[in-house]
Amino acid sequence: MIIPEAFYAQVEAQLRAIDEEGLTKPERVLTTAQGGQIATGSGPAINLCANNYLGLANDPRVKAAARDAIDAWGTGLASVRFICGTQTIHKDLERAIADYTGFTDAILFPAAFDANGGVFEPLLDENDAIVSDSLNHASIIDGIRLCKARRYRFANGDMADLECQLIAAREAGARHVLIATDGVFSMDGYLAPLADLTSLAERFGALTLVDDCHSTGVVGPRGRGTAAACQVEGRIDILTGTFGKALGGAMGGFVAAKKPVVDLLRQKARPYLFSNALAPAVCGASLAAIEIAASDEGDRLRAKLADNAKRFREAMTAAGFELLPGAHPIVPVMLRDAALAQRFAARLLEEGVYVTSFSFPVVPRGKARIRTQMSAALEHHHIDTAVDAFTRVGRELGIVQ
Ligand SMILES: *Cc1c(COP(=O)(O)O)cnc(C)c1O
């Protein structure tokens, strides 16, 4: 047998190159459940880098719902949805997420990555055009690549550029034009300007797709998302989202839209047709999380989340750190230099605060940062302790006085 040594040598060379650039992404092993207070091999830590916005990832009610679902429906379907993989609980979850987000129907996917990967290709072809924000999530970029529609890109949140691209798409004779945007951009915590974006869409007869992964359960009245926050509910055509962040943090994605769109996705979306049904425990947990998110209790958790974000922003600003402005629980602490951001994050873990640094190519060159994320699972004392640690390390590394 011939061993393809050259291949393995190339793989190892690539790993070395990534490491030499300082870009190796370590997997930090948690020795606890997800939460505001966790532990890693380095000891206990305050956690400022989960998408666990409402703190439901280890909530007793959500866990009980997952256990009940296993008892009632088993551990899994061993089937894709259309063969013998659809239970009442899948239909219940589709109904619940459609109602919560204000759409007539919804379809589940194994992940939001798959929702975005599968949503474009069945709906649009080479006669059509997709106009995509330059900072859209990788899964939207991949989904668009899998679709034959012509591609246009506009600068992040830049409505003048969006208009130029819409003109270009129309002049090129596109039949249907779809504008695709994240609802909240994950590296900055900025909301897409959906009021202006939907107005432009309507002027150009374009459809709109919003990915609300960082928004569902978090942003807008009752956590209904960015369309509700921007007062354009009912004017978005397609919504994609996840159960893997605020809504319990397990996994799973969805597309919510008008019924015929969802019906066509059920016939043609490949990650839906060719991948296993969501596990009943995930459906049960997500249903319980939606119920909490949509309730008065959800409002209380969102108020606590907003209060934590405000407390952290104010104290960090007073301590002399540069933050990106905003109100979203994503609070980027700008350090600009990639090596510095990485060192800062490593030192913080030693000080008992778990954060992640992001640098090029995830964010533009010279805009390296520590992206912190607030959670309703954090208490004031966690926030204060974290700010103290930031200040100590900031002084040590010469960033604040
Ligand atoms: C997290 C995220 C996804 C992927 O969600 P999964 O359910 O984890 O696959 C897609 N889009 C955006 C904007 C995200 O933030």
Side-chain angles (χ1 to χ4, degrees), residues 227-247:
C230 297
Q231 299 179 318
V232 295
E233 266 184 302
R235 289 165 63 192
I236 303 297
D237 293 285
I238 301 170
L239 185 81
T240 64
T242 186
F243 303 110
K245 288 181 175 136
L247 297 180

Side-chain angles (χ1 to χ4, degrees), residues 145-389:
R145 279 193 193 134
L146 293 170
C147 170
K148 293 202 177 68
R150 279 167 282 176
R151 301 164 201 168
Y152 298 82
R153 207 166 77 134
F154 63 100
N156 174 232
D158 184 336
M159 294 298 100
D161 193 21
L162 172 59
E163 183 169 0
C164 290
Q165 303 308 317
L166 288 168
I167 290 169
R170 281 299 177 210
E171 281 178 350
R175 178 183 55 179
H176 308 304
V177 178
L178 173 69
I179 304 169
T181 184
D182 283 12
V184 165
F185 293 94
S186 61
M187 286 299 137
D188 299 330
Y190 294 160
L191 265 70
L194 291 188
D196 292 338
L197 187 144
T198 47
S199 297
L200 268 176
E202 283 155 15
R203 250 180 63 207
F204 283 85
L207 300 154
T208 47
L209 177 146
V210 174
D211 174 345
D212 251 353
C213 278
H214 284 284
S215 323
T216 312
V218 181
V219 168
R222 290 277 168 178
R224 287 199 309 271
T226 49
C230 297
Q231 299 179 318
V232 295
E233 266 184 302
R235 289 165 63 192
I236 303 297
D237 293 285
I238 301 170
L239 185 81
T240 64
T242 186
F243 303 110
K245 288 181 175 136
L247 297 180
M251 64 184 306
F254 64 88
V255 175
K258 286 193 163 71
K259 187 169 181 303
V261 170
V262 170
D263 286 344
L264 187 58
L265 292 176
R266 266 186 227 288
Q267 298 309 310
K268 293 180 72 178
R270 293 167 69 82
Y272 173 87
L273 291 176
F274 298 108
S275 194
N276 208 27
L278 274 190
V282 171
C283 296
S286 304
L287 274 164
I290 292 168
E291 195 179 323
I292 294 169
S295 69
D296 291 346
E297 159 80 353
D299 283 345
R300 198 185 63 70
L301 293 172
R302 277 180 292 276
K304 186 174 175 193
L305 176 64
D307 177 60
N308 282 342
K310 183 165 174 283
R311 189 178 185 91
F312 184 72
R313 281 180 181 278
E314 285 176 0
M316 287 289 285
T317 304
F321 287 98
E322 180 197 356
L323 311 179
L324 291 185
H328 193 273
I330 292 172
V331 185
V333 181
M334 302 304 289
L335 296 171
R336 306 202 166 268
D337 180 77
L340 177 65
Q342 204 172 37
R343 215 161 124 229
F344 204 117
R347 277 289 296 122
L348 276 173
L349 189 59
E350 289 166 5
E351 298 288 322
V353 178
Y354 184 25
V355 296
T356 310
S357 66
F358 292 89
S359 51
F360 185 80
V362 181
V363 296
R365 263 186 220 286
K367 296 209 173 157
R369 67 198 64 184
I370 287 174
R371 178 189 66 172
T372 65
Q373 292 170 284
M374 298 299 117
S375 168
L378 294 164
E379 304 300 333
H380 279 175
H381 69 88
H382 293 127
I383 304 286
D384 299 346
T385 305
V387 173
D388 287 347

